Amino acid sequence: MIFMSAELSKRILQGDVRAAASLMSRIENGDAKAKAVLRTLYAHTGRAHVIGVTGAAGTGKSSLIDRMIAEYRRRNKTVGVLAVDPSSLFSGGALLGDRIRMRDHFLDDKVFVRSFATRGGTGGLSTAIREAIYVLDAMAKDVILVETIGVGQDQLEIAALAHLVVVVLAPEMGDEVQAMKAGLAEIADILVVNKADLPGGDATFERLKALFADGDISIIAASALRNEGIQSLLDSIDKHRTRSLGNGSYQRNRLRLYRQEVLSLLRERLIAEWEKRIGGAALDKQIKLIAERRTDPYSAVDELVKKIGL
Ligand SMILES: Nc1nc2c(ncn2[C@@H]2O[C@H](COP(=O)(O)OP(=O)(O)OP(=O)(O)O)[C@@H](O)[C@H]2O)c(=O)[nH]1
Ligand SMILES: [Mg+2]
């Protein structure tokens, strides 16, 4: 086992795509063995720039990412992409769609693209994405793009893993942006009005400019279809990175991420340990008492906590 971890991590550090894909599958399945490999990789992480690309379904996130990959490659940057699939409720074909659009880049060994499925609402997905980011970082990818659909707690948690968040909007959302202002201001560093080739593109762009005139958020008009605005977007991302490194916000953001990560691992570990100590029988007993209205959930928790001496 130790040998396997060492071998796998060695191959990942060399940029081996198969080794990375294999570790990501373990991560996705919640396989505890993945943690052993991640431990050995950790010292080699911390260099990549992690960019969240989020927005409503169909705004053109995957298409934009496709263009961004090409432009980053032109700038001699290596790229990793993690796409969080919308649940099959939205569109069962999303994975295939992403694959087809990003197909050209599959032939480029400096680009790694991987989709992660959303599985029922626990925080498991954001843990998996966080770990997958470490894998790409250890492979020495310069830039890691993480595509998420901008709804739901899971997705917000994932956006919070990024060093910078790009929110993608489309012209048809023009009337909604006023109502979205507070939400956008909270998560976005850069707003992209994609599909600027469509009617209403200019108006939406102007409206956003006016709405965010007083803030630090950059507004970019782009068309993934026509490959326009992509250079401005990358330049704006670079500028943001330089600025946030300069004023210390990048470093603060990282400390916040590490704190969150340690607390979430700590919580996971403590809860598992405490559950074990309390024991299933004691828990079942309290649940039965609650069902019979002989106790209430609050007193039941008091009772259980007392049992482990807290
Ligand atoms: N006219 C126009 N259409 C675009 C543009 N970018 C993307 N599209 C189209 O919009 C549709 C959705 O594009 P995607 O890139 O799959 O959008 P997405 O945001 O990744 O979609 P989900 O992952 O399902 O949320 C596709 O039919 C694209 O061809 C653009 O700049 N202009
Ligand atoms: Mg997509």
Side-chain angles (χ1 to χ4, degrees), residues 59-60 62-64 66-67 101 194-198 222-230:
T59 48
S62 299
S63 311
L64 267 178
D66 193 36
R67 298 294 195 182
R101 267 189 297 282
N194 187 41
K195 308 194 187 187
D197 54 283
L198 293 182
S223 166
L225 182 72
R226 294 191 184 153
N227 201 14
E228 286 167 5
I230 311 300

Side-chain angles (χ1 to χ4, degrees), residues 135-149:
V135 178
L136 292 172
D137 198 344
M139 289 173 85
K141 298 295 177 216
D142 298 311
V143 178
I144 300 171
L145 301 167
V146 183
E147 176 182 339
T148 64
I149 299 208

Side-chain angles (χ1 to χ4, degrees), residues 58-104:
T59 48
K61 300 174 295 293
S62 299
S63 311
L64 267 178
I65 286 174
D66 193 36
R67 298 294 195 182
M68 291 168 78
I69 295 172
E71 181 56 22
Y72 274 122
R73 294 298 299 125
R74 211 180 59 77
R75 298 182 183 194
N76 275 322
K77 302 276 191 212
T78 54
V79 186
V81 179
L82 300 171
V84 179
D85 279 345
S87 81
S88 52
L89 264 180
F90 286 105
S91 120
L95 174 59
L96 189 61
D98 286 345
R99 287 251 162 99
I100 287 172
R101 267 189 297 282
M102 293 181 189
R103 185 178 47 197
D104 291 351

